[in-house]
PDB file of all heavy atoms in Angstrom:
ATOM      1  N   LEU A   7       0.831  -1.208   0.000  1.00 97.00           N
ATOM      2  CA  LEU A   7       0.000   0.000   0.000  1.00 97.00           C
ATOM      3  C   LEU A   7       0.861   1.252   0.000  1.00 97.00           C
ATOM      4  O   LEU A   7       1.988   1.242   0.499  1.00 97.00           O
ATOM      5  CB  LEU A   7      -0.888   0.040   1.247  1.00 97.00           C
ATOM      6  CG  LEU A   7      -1.974  -1.019   1.351  1.00 97.00           C
ATOM      7  CD1 LEU A   7      -2.565  -1.028   2.756  1.00 97.00           C
ATOM      8  CD2 LEU A   7      -3.057  -0.769   0.328  1.00 97.00           C
ATOM      9  N   VAL A   8       0.306   2.316  -0.522  1.00 97.00           N
ATOM     10  CA  VAL A   8       0.899   3.638  -0.383  1.00 97.00           C
ATOM     11  C   VAL A   8      -0.149   4.500   0.318  1.00 97.00           C
ATOM     12  O   VAL A   8      -1.333   4.460  -0.042  1.00 97.00           O
ATOM     13  CB  VAL A   8       1.351   4.228  -1.738  1.00 97.00           C
ATOM     14  CG1 VAL A   8       0.195   4.406  -2.687  1.00 97.00           C
ATOM     15  CG2 VAL A   8       2.114   5.513  -1.552  1.00 97.00           C
ATOM     16  N   ALA A   9       0.260   5.214   1.356  1.00 96.00           N
ATOM     17  CA  ALA A   9      -0.670   6.020   2.156  1.00 96.00           C
ATOM     18  C   ALA A   9      -0.515   7.499   1.808  1.00 96.00           C
ATOM     19  O   ALA A   9       0.598   7.981   1.573  1.00 96.00           O
ATOM     20  CB  ALA A   9      -0.409   5.803   3.642  1.00 96.00           C
ATOM     21  N   PHE A  10      -1.652   8.206   1.798  1.00 94.00           N
ATOM     22  CA  PHE A  10      -1.649   9.641   1.523  1.00 94.00           C
ATOM     23  C   PHE A  10      -2.484  10.356   2.575  1.00 94.00           C
ATOM     24  O   PHE A  10      -3.573   9.917   2.915  1.00 94.00           O
ATOM     25  CB  PHE A  10      -2.233   9.933   0.137  1.00 94.00           C
ATOM     26  CG  PHE A  10      -2.314  11.409  -0.155  1.00 94.00           C
ATOM     27  CD1 PHE A  10      -1.214  12.094  -0.636  1.00 94.00           C
ATOM     28  CD2 PHE A  10      -3.487  12.116   0.083  1.00 94.00           C
ATOM     29  CE1 PHE A  10      -1.282  13.460  -0.882  1.00 94.00           C
ATOM     30  CE2 PHE A  10      -3.560  13.481  -0.163  1.00 94.00           C
ATOM     31  CZ  PHE A  10      -2.462  14.149  -0.649  1.00 94.00           C
ATOM     32  N   TRP A  11      -1.955  11.474   3.065  1.00 91.00           N
ATOM     33  CA  TRP A  11      -2.716  12.339   3.948  1.00 91.00           C
ATOM     34  C   TRP A  11      -2.123  13.738   3.886  1.00 91.00           C
ATOM     35  O   TRP A  11      -1.004  13.935   3.431  1.00 91.00           O
ATOM     36  CB  TRP A  11      -2.758  11.805   5.385  1.00 91.00           C
ATOM     37  CG  TRP A  11      -1.470  11.867   6.153  1.00 91.00           C
ATOM     38  CD1 TRP A  11      -1.106  12.824   7.072  1.00 91.00           C
ATOM     39  CD2 TRP A  11      -0.384  10.940   6.105  1.00 91.00           C
ATOM     40  NE1 TRP A  11       0.137  12.543   7.581  1.00 91.00           N
ATOM     41  CE2 TRP A  11       0.597  11.392   7.008  1.00 91.00           C
ATOM     42  CE3 TRP A  11      -0.133   9.781   5.384  1.00 91.00           C
ATOM     43  CZ2 TRP A  11       1.808  10.723   7.202  1.00 91.00           C
ATOM     44  CZ3 TRP A  11       1.068   9.111   5.580  1.00 91.00           C
ATOM     45  CH2 TRP A  11       2.024   9.579   6.482  1.00 91.00           C
ATOM     46  N   THR A  12      -2.920  14.686   4.334  1.00 86.00           N
ATOM     47  CA  THR A  12      -2.488  16.078   4.376  1.00 86.00           C
ATOM     48  C   THR A  12      -2.527  16.516   5.828  1.00 86.00           C
ATOM     49  O   THR A  12      -3.541  16.372   6.504  1.00 86.00           O
ATOM     50  CB  THR A  12      -3.415  16.968   3.521  1.00 86.00           C
ATOM     51  OG1 THR A  12      -3.425  16.461   2.184  1.00 86.00           O
ATOM     52  CG2 THR A  12      -2.938  18.401   3.513  1.00 86.00           C
ATOM     53  N   SER A  13      -1.393  17.015   6.311  1.00 83.00           N
ATOM     54  CA  SER A  13      -1.322  17.448   7.706  1.00 83.00           C
ATOM     55  C   SER A  13      -1.572  18.944   7.808  1.00 83.00           C
ATOM     56  O   SER A  13      -1.760  19.629   6.797  1.00 83.00           O
ATOM     57  CB  SER A  13       0.045  17.090   8.291  1.00 83.00           C
ATOM     58  OG  SER A  13       1.077  17.763   7.587  1.00 83.00           O
ATOM     59  N   ASP A  14      -1.571  19.430   9.038  1.00 78.00           N
ATOM     60  CA  ASP A  14      -1.749  20.865   9.267  1.00 78.00           C
ATOM     61  C   ASP A  14      -0.749  21.642   8.424  1.00 78.00           C
ATOM     62  O   ASP A  14       0.387  21.225   8.255  1.00 78.00           O
ATOM     63  CB  ASP A  14      -1.551  21.191  10.754  1.00 78.00           C
ATOM     64  CG  ASP A  14      -2.632  20.571  11.620  1.00 78.00           C
ATOM     65  OD1 ASP A  14      -3.744  20.314  11.092  1.00 78.00           O
ATOM     66  OD2 ASP A  14      -2.371  20.328  12.811  1.00 78.00           O
ATOM     67  N   GLY A  15      -1.192  22.753   7.925  1.00 73.00           N
ATOM     68  CA  GLY A  15      -0.331  23.546   7.061  1.00 73.00           C
ATOM     69  C   GLY A  15      -0.358  23.057   5.627  1.00 73.00           C
ATOM     70  O   GLY A  15       0.485  23.433   4.828  1.00 73.00           O
ATOM     71  N   ASP A  16      -1.317  22.193   5.317  1.00 80.00           N
ATOM     72  CA  ASP A  16      -1.488  21.662   3.960  1.00 80.00           C
ATOM     73  C   ASP A  16      -0.251  20.959   3.423  1.00 80.00           C
ATOM     74  O   ASP A  16       0.049  21.019   2.245  1.00 80.00           O
ATOM     75  CB  ASP A  16      -1.931  22.771   2.986  1.00 80.00           C
ATOM     76  CG  ASP A  16      -3.312  23.297   3.315  1.00 80.00           C
ATOM     77  OD1 ASP A  16      -4.132  22.502   3.820  1.00 80.00           O
ATOM     78  OD2 ASP A  16      -3.570  24.488   3.077  1.00 80.00           O
ATOM     79  N   LYS A  17       0.477  20.266   4.298  1.00 88.00           N
ATOM     80  CA  LYS A  17       1.638  19.485   3.870  1.00 88.00           C
ATOM     81  C   LYS A  17       1.182  18.089   3.475  1.00 88.00           C
ATOM     82  O   LYS A  17       0.542  17.394   4.256  1.00 88.00           O
ATOM     83  CB  LYS A  17       2.665  19.400   4.998  1.00 88.00           C
ATOM     84  CG  LYS A  17       3.915  18.639   4.607  1.00 88.00           C
ATOM     85  CD  LYS A  17       4.962  18.780   5.682  1.00 88.00           C
ATOM     86  CE  LYS A  17       6.186  18.014   5.535  1.00 88.00           C
ATOM     87  NZ  LYS A  17       6.745  17.427   4.516  1.00 88.00           N
ATOM     88  N   HIS A  18       1.488  17.676   2.248  1.00 90.00           N
ATOM     89  CA  HIS A  18       1.098  16.370   1.738  1.00 90.00           C
ATOM     90  C   HIS A  18       2.120  15.309   2.145  1.00 90.00           C
ATOM     91  O   HIS A  18       3.323  15.554   2.099  1.00 90.00           O
ATOM     92  CB  HIS A  18       0.994  16.392   0.210  1.00 90.00           C
ATOM     93  CG  HIS A  18       0.003  17.374  -0.302  1.00 90.00           C
ATOM     94  ND1 HIS A  18      -1.336  17.335   0.032  1.00 90.00           N
ATOM     95  CD2 HIS A  18       0.143  18.442  -1.116  1.00 90.00           C
ATOM     96  CE1 HIS A  18      -1.960  18.323  -0.561  1.00 90.00           C
ATOM     97  NE2 HIS A  18      -1.091  19.016  -1.257  1.00 90.00           N
ATOM     98  N   HIS A  19       1.603  14.152   2.520  1.00 93.00           N
ATOM     99  CA  HIS A  19       2.458  13.002   2.862  1.00 93.00           C
ATOM    100  C   HIS A  19       2.046  11.838   1.972  1.00 93.00           C
ATOM    101  O   HIS A  19       0.852  11.531   1.847  1.00 93.00           O
ATOM    102  CB  HIS A  19       2.271  12.627   4.335  1.00 93.00           C
ATOM    103  CG  HIS A  19       2.574  13.747   5.269  1.00 93.00           C
ATOM    104  ND1 HIS A  19       3.831  14.001   5.747  1.00 93.00           N
ATOM    105  CD2 HIS A  19       1.768  14.714   5.793  1.00 93.00           C
ATOM    106  CE1 HIS A  19       3.808  15.058   6.535  1.00 93.00           C
ATOM    107  NE2 HIS A  19       2.558  15.507   6.581  1.00 93.00           N
ATOM    108  N   PHE A  20       3.017  11.188   1.376  1.00 95.00           N
ATOM    109  CA  PHE A  20       2.794  10.084   0.442  1.00 95.00           C
ATOM    110  C   PHE A  20       3.872   9.058   0.759  1.00 95.00           C
ATOM    111  O   PHE A  20       5.041   9.258   0.428  1.00 95.00           O
ATOM    112  CB  PHE A  20       2.920  10.612  -0.986  1.00 95.00           C
ATOM    113  CG  PHE A  20       2.565   9.636  -2.058  1.00 95.00           C
ATOM    114  CD1 PHE A  20       1.248   9.326  -2.338  1.00 95.00           C
ATOM    115  CD2 PHE A  20       3.563   9.036  -2.816  1.00 95.00           C
ATOM    116  CE1 PHE A  20       0.920   8.453  -3.356  1.00 95.00           C
ATOM    117  CE2 PHE A  20       3.248   8.159  -3.829  1.00 95.00           C
ATOM    118  CZ  PHE A  20       1.924   7.864  -4.100  1.00 95.00           C
ATOM    119  N   VAL A  21       3.490   7.972   1.457  1.00 96.00           N
ATOM    120  CA  VAL A  21       4.479   7.053   2.013  1.00 96.00           C
ATOM    121  C   VAL A  21       4.205   5.624   1.559  1.00 96.00           C
ATOM    122  O   VAL A  21       3.097   5.106   1.730  1.00 96.00           O
ATOM    123  CB  VAL A  21       4.495   7.129   3.558  1.00 96.00           C
ATOM    124  CG1 VAL A  21       5.521   6.173   4.136  1.00 96.00           C
ATOM    125  CG2 VAL A  21       4.770   8.555   4.019  1.00 96.00           C
ATOM    126  N   ASP A  22       5.218   4.989   0.999  1.00 97.00           N
ATOM    127  CA  ASP A  22       5.174   3.588   0.599  1.00 97.00           C
ATOM    128  C   ASP A  22       5.105   2.745   1.868  1.00 97.00           C
ATOM    129  O   ASP A  22       5.913   2.915   2.785  1.00 97.00           O
ATOM    130  CB  ASP A  22       6.438   3.266  -0.201  1.00 97.00           C
ATOM    131  CG  ASP A  22       6.463   1.866  -0.778  1.00 97.00           C
ATOM    132  OD1 ASP A  22       5.509   1.094  -0.569  1.00 97.00           O
ATOM    133  OD2 ASP A  22       7.470   1.544  -1.437  1.00 97.00           O
ATOM    134  N   GLY A  23       4.137   1.840   1.918  1.00 97.00           N
ATOM    135  CA  GLY A  23       3.974   1.003   3.096  1.00 97.00           C
ATOM    136  C   GLY A  23       3.449  -0.370   2.728  1.00 97.00           C
ATOM    137  O   GLY A  23       3.311  -0.712   1.555  1.00 97.00           O
ATOM    138  N   HIS A  24       3.157  -1.137   3.751  1.00 97.00           N
ATOM    139  CA  HIS A  24       2.595  -2.480   3.568  1.00 97.00           C
ATOM    140  C   HIS A  24       1.869  -2.860   4.853  1.00 97.00           C
ATOM    141  O   HIS A  24       2.066  -2.230   5.892  1.00 97.00           O
ATOM    142  CB  HIS A  24       3.694  -3.502   3.250  1.00 97.00           C
ATOM    143  CG  HIS A  24       4.641  -3.711   4.381  1.00 97.00           C
ATOM    144  ND1 HIS A  24       5.705  -2.862   4.632  1.00 97.00           N
ATOM    145  CD2 HIS A  24       4.684  -4.655   5.349  1.00 97.00           C
ATOM    146  CE1 HIS A  24       6.362  -3.282   5.692  1.00 97.00           C
ATOM    147  NE2 HIS A  24       5.766  -4.367   6.160  1.00 97.00           N
ATOM    148  N   THR A  25       1.029  -3.871   4.744  1.00 97.00           N
ATOM    149  CA  THR A  25       0.393  -4.393   5.944  1.00 97.00           C
ATOM    150  C   THR A  25       0.994  -5.751   6.272  1.00 97.00           C
ATOM    151  O   THR A  25       1.411  -6.495   5.384  1.00 97.00           O
ATOM    152  CB  THR A  25      -1.133  -4.550   5.765  1.00 97.00           C
ATOM    153  OG1 THR A  25      -1.398  -5.334   4.605  1.00 97.00           O
ATOM    154  CG2 THR A  25      -1.804  -3.196   5.641  1.00 97.00           C
ATOM    155  N   ASP A  26       1.013  -6.055   7.563  1.00 97.00           N
ATOM    156  CA  ASP A  26       1.490  -7.377   7.978  1.00 97.00           C
ATOM    157  C   ASP A  26       0.320  -8.362   7.929  1.00 97.00           C
ATOM    158  O   ASP A  26      -0.778  -8.019   7.483  1.00 97.00           O
ATOM    159  CB  ASP A  26       2.153  -7.317   9.357  1.00 97.00           C
ATOM    160  CG  ASP A  26       1.195  -6.941  10.481  1.00 97.00           C
ATOM    161  OD1 ASP A  26      -0.049  -6.930  10.283  1.00 97.00           O
ATOM    162  OD2 ASP A  26       1.682  -6.682  11.604  1.00 97.00           O
ATOM    163  N   GLY A  27       0.532  -9.569   8.382  1.00 96.00           N
ATOM    164  CA  GLY A  27      -0.496 -10.610   8.349  1.00 96.00           C
ATOM    165  C   GLY A  27      -1.717 -10.307   9.194  1.00 96.00           C
ATOM    166  O   GLY A  27      -2.777 -10.903   8.999  1.00 96.00           O
ATOM    167  N   ASP A  28      -1.586  -9.369  10.141  1.00 96.00           N
ATOM    168  CA  ASP A  28      -2.721  -8.983  10.987  1.00 96.00           C
ATOM    169  C   ASP A  28      -3.428  -7.730  10.485  1.00 96.00           C
ATOM    170  O   ASP A  28      -4.417  -7.301  11.063  1.00 96.00           O
ATOM    171  CB  ASP A  28      -2.249  -8.742  12.423  1.00 96.00           C
ATOM    172  CG  ASP A  28      -1.738 -10.019  13.072  1.00 96.00           C
ATOM    173  OD1 ASP A  28      -2.323 -11.099  12.812  1.00 96.00           O
ATOM    174  OD2 ASP A  28      -0.745  -9.945  13.820  1.00 96.00           O
ATOM    175  N   GLY A  29      -2.881  -7.099   9.440  1.00 95.00           N
ATOM    176  CA  GLY A  29      -3.501  -5.898   8.890  1.00 95.00           C
ATOM    177  C   GLY A  29      -2.954  -4.599   9.433  1.00 95.00           C
ATOM    178  O   GLY A  29      -3.525  -3.541   9.178  1.00 95.00           O
ATOM    179  N   LEU A  30      -1.844  -4.643  10.183  1.00 96.00           N
ATOM    180  CA  LEU A  30      -1.241  -3.400  10.678  1.00 96.00           C
ATOM    181  C   LEU A  30      -0.475  -2.728   9.548  1.00 96.00           C
ATOM    182  O   LEU A  30       0.348  -3.359   8.881  1.00 96.00           O
ATOM    183  CB  LEU A  30      -0.301  -3.668  11.847  1.00 96.00           C
ATOM    184  CG  LEU A  30      -0.952  -4.116  13.145  1.00 96.00           C
ATOM    185  CD1 LEU A  30       0.104  -4.334  14.215  1.00 96.00           C
ATOM    186  CD2 LEU A  30      -1.994  -3.116  13.616  1.00 96.00           C
TER     187      LEU A  30
END
């Protein structure tokens, strides 16, 4: 998965990620 969110100050975050076998 790749996650996207915008934090305070309209800063965009786009981070390569993955889930483990439990969904974390």
Side-chain angles (χ1 to χ4, degrees):
L7 293 168
V8 62
F10 177 84
W11 70 99
T12 303
S13 62
D14 294 335
D16 294 328
K17 182 171 174 18
H18 301 301
H19 302 273
F20 187 76
V21 180
D22 185 359
H24 66 278
T25 54
D26 65 12
D28 295 323
L30 291 180

